[in-house]
Amino acid sequence: MNTMEHTKEVKPKMPNPFTPTFGIIPPCMAGREDLIEELSEAFANGLGDPNLSTIISGARGTGKTTLLSLMATEAESQGWIAARVTASDGMLEDVLDQVLVAARGFLDSLDGKKLTGVSIGQFVSFAWDNESPRAGNWRTQMNVLLDQLAEYDIGLLITVDEVRASIPEMKKLAQVYQHFISEGRKVALLMAGLPHAVSMLLNDEDVSFLRRSRKHVLGRIPDGEIRDALLFTIEQESRTIDTLALDETVSVIDGFPYMMQLVGYRMWAESPRIERITLEDARHGIELAKREMVEGILEYTYRELSDGDRRFLMAMLPDKKDSAIADIACRMGVKSNYASQYKRRLIAQGIVGEYGRGYVRFDMPVFRDYLEQRIAEDNE
């Protein structure tokens, strides 16, 4: 391309449509359409739809937090109130406060007091007759709110991110939610967490009710859907991308939602005033994205692995793509049934996937490169 042709393509800087920040809803949620449709229909169907109690699991970067944000927004568009929390101490109080704020245009105060003044604008501002401590326990306080919401046929969605069985309030929420359901209240509970955290929660006898929830695992997205999502995101902002650049980008992303947003964001930022994204732009973006993937996802994932998990993964490295469990076991110096225990653990964590009977492959992009780099550094 000569200088004159290149100059003709220069435009005002175009906003970057890719969103590698956790929880920000991207223009296109690739590979999750069926789940999104199921949950959206659940809000429309209301009480009795099994999808109103759903647990989502997946490795870091598979889009759990983003999906929670999207479904909360969808619920609100259908006339529900959404309270968004992360599993932690104080989460129940946070739910209560969020519901009060969201519903303040038409709810009495928690203790039944009336509003003294209301001004209608973009938001409703109000003042209570007097301030007093909240009466009753959390379930009692929520029942007061839910009774008032029911008068307007308004449902309540509670989303909980990063579920952990070790949080007492997580168990309390699950136990009280069971009562909400048995009382016929219009409520929904959408939770998300890492596979091992979800497994620990479901194995806890104190919240056995949650085992009846619908369960979804967010895994790898097919390359074709990644390609379509990239093109849609780029072209809706009136840019294009070279075919070779697109091919290389799709290959590196390897079906991982967070990696798609990282690579997309970085390659877009290379020449944001030029209409066409080139192969050079893509390659620069890929290198930057790989570093961020290591720092933001892979290092934390690696730290959580057991010694056996790590040995299993290291034993996969001699193979270019698929690894036979028999070969892995041989390299580990163990029997195949012993190695298979680690295979199941790593599949549950979204790090590897099973491709054909007795064969596994890295499912988390860049993880193979990361392990090889660690070995090289340890040998220096």
Side-chain angles (χ1 to χ4, degrees):
M1 180 182 294
N2 61 44
T3 305
M4 184 175 294
E5 289 174 335
H6 189 274
T7 303
K8 288 180 180 178
E9 293 184 356
V10 176
K11 296 183 176 183
K13 183 177 180 180
M14 288 167 271
N16 198 320
F18 291 95
T19 56
T21 302
F22 286 107
I24 301 297
I25 301 172
C28 181
M29 286 283 287
R32 313 301 186 209
E33 294 85 356
D34 290 345
L35 176 54
I36 291 169
E37 183 177 356
E38 280 187 30
L39 294 172
S40 298
E41 289 180 354
F43 300 134
N45 295 337
L47 188 64
D49 192 302
N51 288 295
L52 291 179
S53 300
T54 292
I55 302 178
I56 297 167
S57 63
R60 288 187 178 89
T62 51
K64 301 182 299 297
T65 302
T66 300
L67 186 58
L68 290 185
S69 297
L70 176 63
M71 298 323 303
T73 301
E74 173 63 21
E76 290 169 338
S77 74
Q78 295 193 36
W80 289 59
I81 282 174
R84 305 163 169 89
V85 298
T86 298
S88 60
D89 294 335
M91 61 181 283
L92 297 183
E93 188 77 5
D94 192 9
V95 168
L96 195 62
D97 287 339
Q98 287 189 50
V99 176
L100 278 168
V101 170
R104 63 186 180 182
F106 45 79
L107 288 183
D108 292 339
S109 71
L110 183 63
D111 296 323
K113 293 179 172 52
K114 303 297 181 181
L115 299 177
T116 58
V118 178
S119 62
I120 305 297
Q122 184 178 5
F123 299 98
V124 180
S125 61
F126 61 93
W128 305 114
D129 284 335
N130 56 70
E131 294 292 334
S132 61
R134 293 171 175 172
N137 60 25
W138 187 77
R139 179 183 172 187
T140 302
Q141 295 170 31
M142 288 298 298
N143 281 341
V144 172
L145 287 172
L146 291 171
D147 286 342
Q148 295 182 33
L149 289 174
E151 295 177 13
Y152 300 86
D153 191 30
I154 294 173
L156 170 63
L157 166 65
I158 300 173
T159 69
V160 185
D161 200 7
E162 298 180 17
V163 298
R164 287 182 291 162
S166 60
I167 302 296
E169 291 190 29
M170 182 73 243
K171 297 181 183 180
K172 179 73 171 179
L173 171 61
Q175 292 164 347
V176 173
Y177 179 75
Q178 179 178 0
H179 292 294
F180 291 162
I181 295 299
S182 64
E183 293 163 2
R185 298 187 180 280
K186 191 176 179 179
V187 293
L189 181 61
L190 181 56
M191 297 164 284
L194 296 171
H196 68 274
V198 169
S199 178
M200 289 180 64
L201 180 65
L202 294 178
N203 287 331
D204 194 308
E205 292 300 327
D206 291 338
V207 291
S208 58
F209 167 76
L210 291 179
R211 295 171 193 167
R212 287 176 256 169
S213 300
R214 295 297 302 274
K215 301 168 191 67
H216 296 275
V217 179
L218 300 186
R220 184 185 182 280
I221 298 171
D223 287 348
E225 295 187 40
I226 291 290
R227 176 183 293 271
D228 291 343
L230 281 168
L231 281 174
F232 174 84
T233 305
I234 291 167
E235 290 175 355
Q236 76 164 359
E237 293 295 335
S238 300
R239 292 190 76 184
T240 58
I241 181 170
D242 288 341
T243 300
L244 290 177
L246 181 61
D247 291 342
E248 193 160 324
T249 300
V250 171
S251 177
V252 169
I253 290 169
D254 200 19
F256 206 67
Y258 181 56
M259 191 63 171
M260 183 180 82
Q261 299 302 324
L262 273 179
V263 174
Y265 186 88
R266 289 304 176 190
M267 72 179 181
W268 182 283
E270 285 295 310
S271 305
R273 290 183 172 85
I274 306 301
E275 180 180 341
R276 195 163 191 82
I277 297 173
T278 66
L279 181 58
E280 184 180 6
D281 293 334
R283 286 177 172 170
H284 285 167
I286 285 168
E287 289 307 309
L288 290 172
K290 282 183 175 180
R291 293 178 207 164
E292 291 177 78
M293 182 73 178
V294 168
E295 295 170 359
I297 300 289
L298 303 187
E299 287 184 349
Y300 292 99
T301 301
Y302 184 81
R303 289 175 199 166
E304 293 176 345
L305 297 175
S306 69
D307 289 341
D309 293 331
R310 294 175 184 178
R311 287 176 60 209
F312 184 100
L313 293 172
M314 296 295 184
M316 291 175 61
L317 294 181
D319 305 306
K320 291 184 178 180
K321 191 173 184 181
D322 294 346
S323 298
I325 294 299
D327 291 339
I328 294 172
C330 181
R331 293 165 189 159
M332 292 177 69
V334 299
K335 294 182 178 180
S336 292
N337 59 352
Y338 182 84
S340 292
Q341 297 177 28
Y342 292 102
K343 176 199 74 174
R344 289 190 288 271
R345 285 166 50 91
L346 292 164
I347 288 175
Q349 294 176 72
I351 298 172
V352 304
E354 192 164 21
Y355 294 85
R357 185 173 178 83
Y359 287 86
V360 292
R361 182 189 310 166
F362 282 96
D363 256 5
M364 190 171 283
V366 193
F367 210 99
R368 175 189 290 275
D369 295 343
Y370 171 71
L371 291 177
E372 289 174 343
Q373 180 63 32
R374 286 191 68 98
I375 291 174
E377 291 175 354
D378 290 343
N379 290 336
E380 288 180 354

